[in-house]
Structures are given as C-alpha cells and as structure tokens.
Amino acid sequence: MCRPDPIFVSIASYRDPELIPTLLDMIAQSTDPAALHVAICWQHDDDISIFLDAGMTLENKSMQGEHDIFTFIYQTVRIQVISIHYFNSRGACWARHLSEQFYQGEKWFLQIDSHCRFATGWDREAVTMARSLLDQTPRPVLSTYPPAYDPADESKRTQFISRLVFREFSAEGIPMLSSVPFKQQHPVRCGYLAGGLIFAPGSFVLDVPNDPSIFFAGEEISMAARAFTHGYDIFTPDRILMWHYYQRKEASKIWGDHTNEAKNTGSIDLAWWERDKISKKRVRSVLGLEASPTHPGAYGHGTMRTLAQFERCIGVDLSSQTVMPDVIGSLRQSYFPEGSVSEGDWLARRIHPNKRKITFTRDELAEAPAEVAWWHIGVYCPNNTLLDKQTLTREAMAANFVAQKNAWDIELNFSTPATIKPAVVRICPYSQQGWGKVVEKIW
C-alpha cells in the first residue's frame, strides 16, 4: 500500500476557544492522520493545559527567539505550537508567517483558521481533487470561503459550495471579495483565494509565504496576485472539504484588544488601526498602486506571469478601479481565460462599480420639514451631471436609520463608464411646502 502524501497544516489562532475542537475534528475526520504535520501560531493568555486536557502529550519544549515552542503528539499527529501572548500579536498574516516557519518539505500545504469543522476524509479528498488538476496546471490551488457551521448546533451545517467573486473597491482602492453559490461537477478556475482555506502543493509555502507586514484587510487579493505571478492556478473545489465559523460575536478579536487604551497603558506598541493603515499601504504596493519604500523581497511578485496578466485574468483594472461588466453583472465572473478579452474590449468596455455607504447625521438633516413626503438622493459627477438617484419614502428612509449612530446609512450601488467618476452625493427632502435644504457629501 502506498504511503499517503504528507500535508503541512498551518493555523493562526487568536484567543480562540474553537482551536482545540478544530484540531480534534481535523484529526478525527482525516483518512491518514499520520501524514499530518500541524503548526499553530497560538496567540493567547492561557497555559498549555488546554492541549494536555485534550489528550495531547508534550514531547518537547524549546525556544525560538523570545517565544516558547511546544511539540505535542496526539495519536499519530505531530502538532507544533509557537506560544505568544496576544498583546504581542501583529495580525493574521504575521501569525500565519510564523506558523510557516515549521514547514519541512511536505508534499501538500493547507492553510486554515482555528474555527473549522471537516468533512470525512477531507485530506484524501483534497489530494485527489488537486491531483486531478495536474493535467491543467503543475501548481493547482484549491480555495474558497467554506460553508458555515455553528458550534452551538453543529447539526445545522450549511451544505452549499461557493466561489469567490469581486465585491467592491475599498476606500484605499483594494478589491474586496464575497462569494456566490457554486454548482459544478469538477473544480473550476477562479482568480481569487481565501485566507481561511488554501490547499496547494507544499512549494506554495516557499514561493508565496504570508507577508508578515500585512495585518488583515487585503490579505487575499495580494496573495492571489502573488500566487498568480508565481505560476499557481486557483480553482474552486466542487465538494465540501470543511466548514467555517463566521461572525464569532462572542470571541475575542485583535481589534477589541489592541485599542488606543491598550497602547496608552503600554500593553502594545501600536493600536490595531495603526497596523492596518501601514498594512494597506503594503497591499497597495503589491497591487502596483503606489511605490514601496523597501524591496518586498520574498513577499513580492514572481517572474512566471505579470501583474497586468493577473488583472486581465480577474477582469479588474486596479489603477483605474474599473472592471469588465461581467465581473459585477449576473455572471459574477471571476476568471477570464487568457485571450478571451481583446485589447479593444479591455480598453472600451470597463466600467466603474460605484458602491458606497453614505452617512447623514440627524444634525445634518435637522432642518428637514416635519412631514417629509419623500427624499431625493442623487449622485453627481464633477460637471454636475446626475449619475444615479434614489427616491425614498418617509418609511423607506426610516428603515435606513441606525439608532446607535443617530444617523441614516444610505447604500449606493451603480456603475458608470470608465471615464466618469462620482464626485458628490446630495440629499434633499420634499414636502407639501416644496423642496427643503440640500445636504451634500463628497463621494
């Protein structure tokens, strides 16, 4: 009988009570647990008793710089844990980067979060699926947002498969992702990857290591671009490999711990939003949107393909913040085969996906008449041409009121030609007395 291919599993865990259940389920549902080598960056405030209480045996303890390294054995699985107090964390990609240092040349690589459940035989299924793609590419990657589970009721696991699609540009011009349902009988090419599920050849760890200077937002698009330029091809898996616990409202998050108050008391050196600001500049440099002050080294692009080719692949022009119509249309296309978009179409058909939430405070709208019949909300370009409008009844406007903010949040979502960009948003009430005061916001 052939020995199973070894799999290196990298996990970043931030004060997560789901870590141990995730480990136990991953091993229990594995077909070949002896082939697993697990590495965890454990950002916590506990002692190692949680591992021992779960039945794991401490085999070794060592040091890596200032951090303790614990090696546990559970059944036949080796689990290496780098232990770090959560105040010393520098974000998700930094933690993933530390976990990757334990890679020892395994055939396959799996990156997950520490709040997951697994399909029976997930490891053999993933290897089989990836191997089936080797006739299309020497470097296949399986990635998507896994369906959801809830630890309070694990019988209610979502059973649909999704694929990643473009959602919008952030204020920094960084493409943000979401997912849509996916039904196919085989894995399908996709331009994007998800940080919570990456299954790839082990070489991915060496070619596309996590950039420790990226905090969180922008992780996925920057890594997708780097993976593409290193010759990796991403596919949406056609079967469920695992589930993911989303929201986790009761769990501690780094932005709840690394606050201005924690910085003022000396517990941390930078607040989370300061790291995030620095990180987004790094992401922008990876995406070619601004110059990097330092050479990215191992965290830059490969030489097998270019960033421009990646943009064509996903149908997104990063510098102009425009997309091919099918990216945001009914198809929600996330991969365009090479040569499928002509140069003429690329230049002529791209559009701006204008999506934004505009907030109007109670003070800003204080002069509105008591009995407003409806509200006009218009978006205008620099020459004052109307690009988009909404007419909201008094009831519809009230539905957009957010009591905690004492303000109205208005969602705007429309497209314009590549040469036309929104400039301002204006809101104006209409009542029996006629038009009220116009309030204007910069787009």
Side-chain angles (χ1 to χ4, degrees):
M1 182 176 179
C2 296
R3 296 181 60 183
D5 291 339
I7 301 174
F8 175 69
V9 184
S10 171
I11 304 175
S13 178
Y14 186 91
R15 303 186 68 189
D16 191 353
E18 281 291 285
L19 171 61
I20 296 300
T22 293
L23 288 173
L24 297 181
D25 192 64
M26 176 179 66
I27 295 167
Q29 302 302 329
S30 168
T31 303
D32 304 299
L36 304 180
H37 171 204
V38 183
I40 305 166
C41 182
W42 184 42
Q43 303 147 91
H44 69 106
D45 59 352
D46 303 316
D47 58 38
I48 65 169
S49 61
I50 65 165
F51 297 95
L52 301 175
D53 292 344
M56 301 178 191
T57 301
L58 179 63
E59 183 183 62
N60 185 54
K61 176 183 177 182
S62 60
M63 294 288 293
Q64 186 181 87
E66 300 177 352
H67 307 306
D68 290 325
I69 309 295
F70 300 99
T71 300
F72 297 95
I73 300 297
Y74 180 73
Q75 297 179 5
T76 56
V77 181
R78 182 161 55 106
I79 302 171
Q80 292 182 282
V81 178
I82 180 167
S83 175
I84 297 168
H85 191 277
Y86 65 88
F87 274 146
N88 294 324
S89 175
R90 299 179 187 175
C93 296
W94 172 83
R96 299 192 203 279
H97 169 78
L98 291 182
S99 294
E100 290 171 350
Q101 307 312 302
F102 296 98
Y103 175 68
Q104 295 181 337
E106 287 83 4
K107 179 75 173 180
W108 299 101
F109 166 62
L110 173 66
Q111 176 178 294
I112 59 171
D113 293 329
S114 56
H115 30 275
C116 300
R117 295 294 183 270
F118 294 80
T120 300
W122 64 268
D123 49 344
R124 189 168 294 182
E125 187 73 72
V127 170
T128 300
M129 201 182 304
R131 284 190 174 280
S132 73
L133 300 169
L134 291 175
D135 61 343
Q136 301 180 52
T137 173
R139 297 180 175 183
V141 178
L142 300 172
S143 189
T144 192
Y145 292 148
Y149 81 95
D150 184 344
D153 187 354
E154 294 197 15
S155 66
K156 297 180 179 179
R157 296 185 184 180
T158 305
Q159 295 298 319
F160 73 88
I161 301 172
S162 65
R163 63 180 178 87
L164 299 171
V165 297
F166 171 90
R167 185 177 78 234
E168 61 187 332
F169 289 103
S170 72
E172 298 81 14
I174 299 170
M176 307 304 289
L177 310 179
S178 59
S179 63
V180 295
F182 170 77
K183 292 183 179 180
Q184 291 289 341
Q185 299 302 312
H186 52 82
V188 172
R189 274 295 300 271
C190 179
Y192 304 111
L193 57 74
L197 171 56
I198 299 173
F199 188 83
S203 57
F204 192 94
V205 181
L206 305 177
D207 294 334
V208 198
N210 273 276
D211 186 342
S213 63
I214 294 179
F215 181 74
F216 182 73
E219 162 200 10
E220 295 173 332
I221 186 65
S222 60
M223 183 168 272
R226 292 171 53 217
F228 179 89
T229 62
H230 279 280
Y232 290 88
D233 294 313
I234 304 166
F235 291 78
T236 301
D238 63 315
R239 279 155 284 178
I240 295 175
L241 298 174
M242 52 182 281
W243 289 263
H244 188 276
Y245 184 25
Y246 297 96
Q247 302 301 321
R248 302 190 304 124
K249 294 181 179 180
E250 77 289 351
S252 299
K253 312 288 197 312
I254 192 170
W255 37 86
D257 294 327
H258 288 226
T259 60
N260 292 336
E261 292 76 16
K263 181 181 177 181
N264 292 338
T265 61
S267 298
I268 58 174
D269 57 349
L270 290 175
W272 75 267
W273 62 268
E274 293 175 299
R275 292 196 187 281
D276 187 56
K277 185 176 181 179
I278 296 169
S279 167
K280 285 173 179 172
K281 290 182 69 67
R282 177 70 159 195
V283 173
R284 282 179 53 83
S285 71
V286 172
L287 299 180
L289 300 176
E290 64 179 71
S292 174
T294 58
H295 191 277
Y299 313 110
H301 295 294
T303 58
M304 297 184 69
R305 293 182 288 209
T306 67
L307 180 62
Q309 288 175 295
F310 174 70
E311 292 177 281
R312 293 291 183 96
C313 163
I314 61 174
V316 176
D317 187 79
L318 297 166
S319 60
S320 67
Q321 294 186 35
T322 57
V323 303
M324 294 299 291
D326 286 341
V327 167
I328 59 173
S330 59
L331 293 178
R332 300 303 301 273
Q333 195 162 339
S334 59
Y335 171 72
F336 294 78
E338 184 177 359
S340 63
V341 178
S342 69
E343 185 69 17
D345 280 349
W346 179 251
L347 295 174
R349 296 187 60 226
R350 296 196 314 268
I351 57 177
H352 279 290
N354 303 296
K355 184 175 182 180
R356 190 156 299 183
K357 180 187 293 182
I358 303 294
T359 299
F360 296 94
T361 67
R362 189 183 289 277
D363 288 343
E364 290 170 331
L365 304 186
E367 296 184 29
E371 292 298 322
V372 175
W374 44 269
W375 296 81
H376 168 82
I377 302 166
V379 185
Y380 301 82
C381 68
N383 69 5
N384 212 35
T385 299
L386 179 65
L387 302 178
D388 185 67
K389 72 174 182 178
Q390 294 185 30
T391 300
L392 299 182
T393 64
R394 186 168 63 241
E395 294 75 19
M397 185 69 171
N400 290 297
F401 186 73
V402 181
Q404 297 92 326
K405 297 168 65 174
N406 198 29
W408 291 265
D409 282 343
I410 309 298
E411 297 277 356
L412 301 171
N413 189 359
F414 61 99
S415 62
T416 54
T419 55
I420 299 176
K421 292 186 178 181
V424 297
V425 180
R426 300 186 182 115
I427 185 170
C428 183
Y430 185 84
S431 67
Q432 290 183 347
Q433 290 76 41
W435 290 104
K437 178 185 176 181
V438 176
V439 176
E440 182 174 287
K441 288 288 184 77
I442 300 298
W443 175 260

